[in-house]
Amino acid sequence: MTNWINRWEARLDVLNSAHRLRTRRLHTSVAPICFCDNDYLGLAHHSSLSDAWYQVGAEIPVGSAASPLVSGHYPTHQTLEERIAAWLGRDRALLFSSGFAANLGLAQTLLTPKTSVVQDRYNHASLIDGARLMRAPLKRYAHCDLASLEARLRSLSGPGVVWTDSVFSMDGTVAPLQQIAALCARYDALLAVDEAHGFGVMGPTGAGAVEAAGLSQDLVPVVMGTLGKAVGCQGAFVAGPSALIELLENDARTLIYSTAESPRMSAVTVAAIALMQAHPEWRLQLEDNVQYFRARACAEGIPLTDSKTAIQPIILGADARALAASQVLWTEGYWVSAIRPPTVPEGSARLRITLSARHRFEQIDGLIAALAKALEVASR
Ligand SMILES: *Cc1c(COP(=O)(O)O)cnc(C)c1O
């Protein structure tokens, strides 16, 4: 046992001396104003949702107590799936307990050692791990680069799947979905899109980047979205043709061998979706906040990327610089965590700032002033 503990401690020392040790910070009531969560519409802390939690009838249990295929599938899950499918204009939707589980389950259903999967280089870890888990040939293309994607598609010999984030989680860039869909049609590849950061905030009705691009189920047969980001709850879904959903129920081991999400949580999620659909102005407020942040940052000479979404990274390069800047922000009253490799490429450690509809302009002003100070300290 001491041997093992010594080894673990040595590994922790290596991480620590490389500025790569990660620790969790407690989210307490006195924590600074958060500018790094994914609560884009302010729903996670919305009083209507905590009210909804208590208003759900006593017949709806807290825990589902079984996997969906055994006895864990409740009417609240069913309603939530129907609302999501209707919103996205898809045949059916299927709930998973998290986005990570949904993506691994999709991989277990769609990929084999003979099915190549073509992925954007900046895709989320769960898409990469899905390919690895299934030992599917993984071909990565340069970020949002259509020529690079086409070269990979041209080299496919058998069936292929193109799998991409719609809004990239650490960069805020948006995949050129119309052009990607056209290439998939041309090379007969299946297109699967991860809408973790698009669902709820993009598109004319907020259904996501796929809706914004006007892409039907025929062109994007597989859409995955999460319920823990803009929706402010927990869990995830895959939406698409009935045959796909039925196959997932049979092949996705992360669904079959995992307890269904809390029935009470799914009832609250139904309420969250109704609120999102009734309040399009929240999405407009988010857009205003993003624009306000960018204008104020520009005026202060804070280096931005050209992201137009709620994810606004400030790339600082060295891990130590990102950590120092994050620490200054914390002491100034703003919570912006430092994102380091391997989450982002080597030499591109960053502050990943996220805006939310819940932020007020004065809070954004305060963040900008603190950022100017933090970047000053980090450049010393
Ligand atoms: C957060 C995220 C996931 C995982 O979703 P969880 O519900 O948090 O497990 C998957 N894909 C992308 C692109 C994400 O950003």
Side-chain angles (χ1 to χ4, degrees):
M1 180 65 186
T2 18
N3 262 345
W4 283 104
I5 290 176
N6 289 340
R7 278 183 215 146
W8 296 331
E9 284 174 348
R11 282 167 59 187
L12 289 169
D13 286 344
V14 169
L15 288 173
N16 197 23
S17 44
H19 305 286
R20 296 239 161 124
L21 191 65
R22 307 181 195 217
T23 53
R24 296 168 300 166
R25 276 192 147 133
L26 271 181
H27 204 135
T28 65
S29 55
V30 295
I33 301 169
C34 191
F35 275 97
C36 58
D37 62 31
N38 307 304
D39 184 22
Y40 300 123
L41 300 175
L43 274 163
H45 299 274
H46 203 282
S47 58
S48 309
L49 287 198
S50 31
D51 292 349
W53 182 272
Y54 294 107
Q55 281 155 12
V56 173
E59 74 284 2
I60 309 293
V62 172
S64 70
S67 110
L69 291 177
V70 176
S71 63
H73 188 54
Y74 278 79
T76 52
H77 295 129
Q78 186 78 26
T79 305
L80 178 55
E81 288 176 347
E82 285 164 8
R83 300 279 161 88
I84 291 168
W87 195 0
L88 270 65
R90 264 56 187 167
D91 291 353
R92 282 183 67 194
L94 182 67
L95 295 175
F96 285 79
S97 52
S98 77
F100 212 112
N103 279 339
L104 293 188
L106 261 179
Q108 288 169 330
T109 306
L110 299 178
L111 303 181
T112 72
K114 290 198 166 73
T115 315
S116 292
V117 59
V118 183
Q119 299 204 19
D120 188 291
R121 192 159 278 287
Y122 285 7
N123 271 355
H124 188 260
S126 55
L127 284 70
I128 307 292
D129 286 3
R132 288 182 179 156
L133 178 67
M134 298 312 289
R135 297 192 178 85
L138 172 61
K139 296 171 189 281
R140 299 174 83 181
Y141 57 94
H143 180 51
C144 290
D145 183 328
L146 294 164
S148 172
L149 166 60
E150 186 163 15
R152 304 289 177 282
L153 284 170
R154 213 179 285 130
S155 74
L156 294 186
S157 45
V161 177
V162 174
W163 200 3
T164 183
D165 289 14
S166 62
V167 178
F168 288 84
S169 52
M170 297 300 136
D171 294 81
T173 39
V174 182
L177 292 175
Q178 285 173 346
Q179 292 91 326
I180 293 176
L183 282 173
C184 286
R186 184 137 134 234
Y187 289 89
D188 197 24
L190 175 72
L191 178 54
V193 176
D194 178 331
E195 287 266 44
H197 299 277
F199 180 58
V201 290
M202 296 191 61
T205 74
V210 171
E211 181 192 44
L215 296 169
S216 65
Q217 178 172 285
D218 275 348
L219 291 166
V220 185
V222 188
V223 177
M224 172 274 188
T226 61
L227 302 169
K229 288 171 178 161
V231 188
C233 294
Q234 197 163 24
F237 64 85
V238 173
S242 297
L244 169 72
I245 301 303
E246 233 175 283
L247 204 54
L248 281 164
E249 286 180 297
N250 286 274
D251 282 357
R253 295 164 66 87
T254 54
L255 177 127
I256 300 168
Y257 300 104
S258 188
T259 302
E261 74 158 334
S262 157
R264 189 162 281 260
M265 176 60 89
S266 57
V268 173
T269 312
V270 169
I273 283 179
L275 281 169
M276 292 162 84
Q277 294 183 319
H279 294 280
E281 74 278 11
W282 292 347
R283 294 200 306 279
L284 300 179
Q285 183 64 54
L286 173 61
E287 276 172 32
D288 283 353
N289 286 356
V290 172
Q291 274 172 25
Y292 185 75
F293 169 82
R294 287 183 62 85
R296 294 282 291 106
C298 264
E300 291 296 322
I302 292 166
L304 299 178
T305 66
D306 51 15
S307 163
K308 302 285 185 290
T309 63
I311 301 166
Q312 293 287 323
I314 297 177
I315 298 176
L316 295 173
D319 294 14
R321 285 189 69 195
L323 281 177
S326 170
Q327 189 53 45
V328 173
L329 287 173
W330 179 272
T331 50
E332 295 287 317
Y334 300 93
W335 191 342
V336 181
S337 61
I339 308 287
R340 290 159 282 164
T343 308
V344 292
E346 285 296 334
S348 74
R350 66 195 65 187
L351 296 172
R352 173 185 179 269
I353 293 169
T354 53
L355 282 304
S356 166
R358 71 173 191 273
H359 292 132
R360 298 189 307 273
F361 281 180
E362 313 88 80
Q363 294 176 318
I364 298 173
D365 289 336
L367 171 70
I368 296 285
L371 264 175
K373 200 164 178 178
L375 296 186
E376 223 280 302
V377 171
S379 66
R380 275 185 209 150

